[in-house]
Structure formats: structure tokens, C-alpha cells
Amino acid sequence: MERKKYIENRKKEAIALTRKINPAVLSKEIAFTHIKPQDFICSLREIVLEPNKIKQGLHPICGVSAALKIAAELDPVTLVKMAVNFYVNGNYNPGNFLLRQIKVPERVRNTEITSGLSAASFVLQISVKNFLNRFSTYKPVPNNLSQIQGITFPWQIKKFLTDYFRVDSINRSLFKNNFNSIKEKIESGHRLLALTSWKQMNHPNSRISNFDLHYLLIKGIEKKEDQIILYVDDSSGTNSGNKEFIFQNEKELKKAVRAVYTYNKKGFKESELLAQPN
């Protein structure tokens, strides 16, 4: 119960923090001038309460979306502070001289919100994506080139989550993507970030394409009549609920789920996790 209580308390702290934000004060001087303070505050509170409402819209930023969902679940207080600093100041200073300040360029701040993104999701996602995408200088304008610019590597997600949030990476073996391993991690209460072959997720018998990778969160797995059913939280959809994918055998599952990255709260106790599965 200790772990569950910790998560609930952090969420309550985060919601309380959003209630302290005064829209009248924010309206005087903000970095994202085209986003109304009330819209930002309401949507920020919404994604704290329901992290699965973080959607990527038309942007190829599934890795950032999935990472922010994990942050919203495990450390919503820091997420609120980060979002407000992005929105008001155009930057986020983690308060650690070993970590880089995250700056949001004016060209990014002035981008209009595209369909599918709430105000807070937009502020967080394009700010973080621009920060992580050092190699291709991501510009948040959906087009063919942005598909390449949208690439986020697993090591970038890991470093972002473990450096800027109270989150630990607890992988023991990166490619243990079989049924038993996934089920064990879920039952232990971990958050599972999966790098999938999107083609194989939707059409298990199709050919593998290395340019069709997609990040999502695994929420559940079970076997029914020799079939494997995978439940996922996918940021590319419009529905806030979990999606269901069916595989006929372990081989199909492993072709579709290429790698699984495991996260939990910082300083977690393994004995606590095993004793109190979610």
C-alpha cells in the first residue's frame, strides 16, 4: 500500500499546485502568448488526473508523449512545475547545476496548436521534443520531413526521465519482450515503455520495417485460448482508453514488441513492489 499511497499523494500535491496558479497574473506576461491561461491550467489539471489524455496529435512525437505519461503517473508535481515554467518563462531550470536548463525557442513557442493536442500537452511536448532533438533540429510543423525529425532514441527518453523527474530506470534485460517477462513486470507495478513495430502490431504477418517504429505504454497482457492479448496506451489515437492487440503466438508478439523499457518511482523497493502488485 505504501507505493500506491505515494502515487496518490503526489497526484494530490500536483492538483493542489495547479489550483495555486492565478490566471489573472499569468495573463500579464507569458511565453506562449497565443494560449489562454485558463485553457492551459484546465488541461494541465486534466493530464495530471488522467495521463492517458496526453496525445501527440499530428506530430511524430510518440516517444515524448509516452515519456510524459510516465512522468505524469510517477512524478506529477515536477511535471506541473516544468509545464508552468515552459508556459510562463519559456524555459525550465531543474535546480541542479549538473543538468542543462531546458529552453524553448521563440519559433517553437509561436507555433499554433494542431488538432488533437490540449494546451498543456502542446506546451510540454513540443518544448521537450525540441530539447531532445539535438541532431535534426525538430520544427513542430507536421510534414514529411518532420517524420524524420521526430525520431527520439530510447537513451534520450531514459536520460530525460531519470535526470529531470523522480523516476528510476529498472531494466534488467532490455529485450525480454516475451509474455512471461511482460506479465511479471506489469504485476510488479512497473511502467512499461515499449518500442514497437507498428506494422506488426496491426498486421502480425506483414514484413518488418525498421522505419515503422512506434512508442507506447503497455498496460496489460493475458492469454485467452492460446491467443496473447496486449493492452496498450497509445498516444497516436483519439480515444483515451486502452487499445487491444491480439497475437496468435509468442513469435508474433516478439516481432511486434521490439523492446521493453521499465520505469518506476525513484528509490523504489523491490520487496514492496512484489508484495503489492497493481
Side-chain angles (χ1 to χ4, degrees), residues 136-148:
S136 57
T137 316
Y138 178 68
K139 297 178 181 179
V141 180
N143 55 36
N144 292 333
L145 182 59
S146 69
Q147 297 295 327
I148 298 174

Side-chain angles (χ1 to χ4, degrees), residues 102-134:
I102 302 177
K103 297 180 180 179
V104 190
E106 186 176 355
R107 63 173 175 78
V108 174
R109 301 198 306 264
N110 290 337
T111 304
E112 291 297 323
I113 300 178
T114 55
S115 175
L117 273 72
S118 67
S121 288
F122 173 80
V123 169
L124 279 163
Q125 289 184 99
I126 68 166
S127 300
V128 172
K129 184 57 203 177
N130 182 79
F131 171 67
L132 294 181
N133 221 83
R134 305 175 193 175

Side-chain angles (χ1 to χ4, degrees), residues 150-161:
I151 295 172
T152 305
F153 297 99
W155 66 265
Q156 291 177 302
I157 295 174
K158 176 182 176 181
K159 185 170 176 57
F160 172 66
L161 282 174

Side-chain angles (χ1 to χ4, degrees), residues 37 167 184 239 269-270:
V167 172
E184 179 184 344
N239 193 333
K269 298 177 182 178
E270 187 66 18

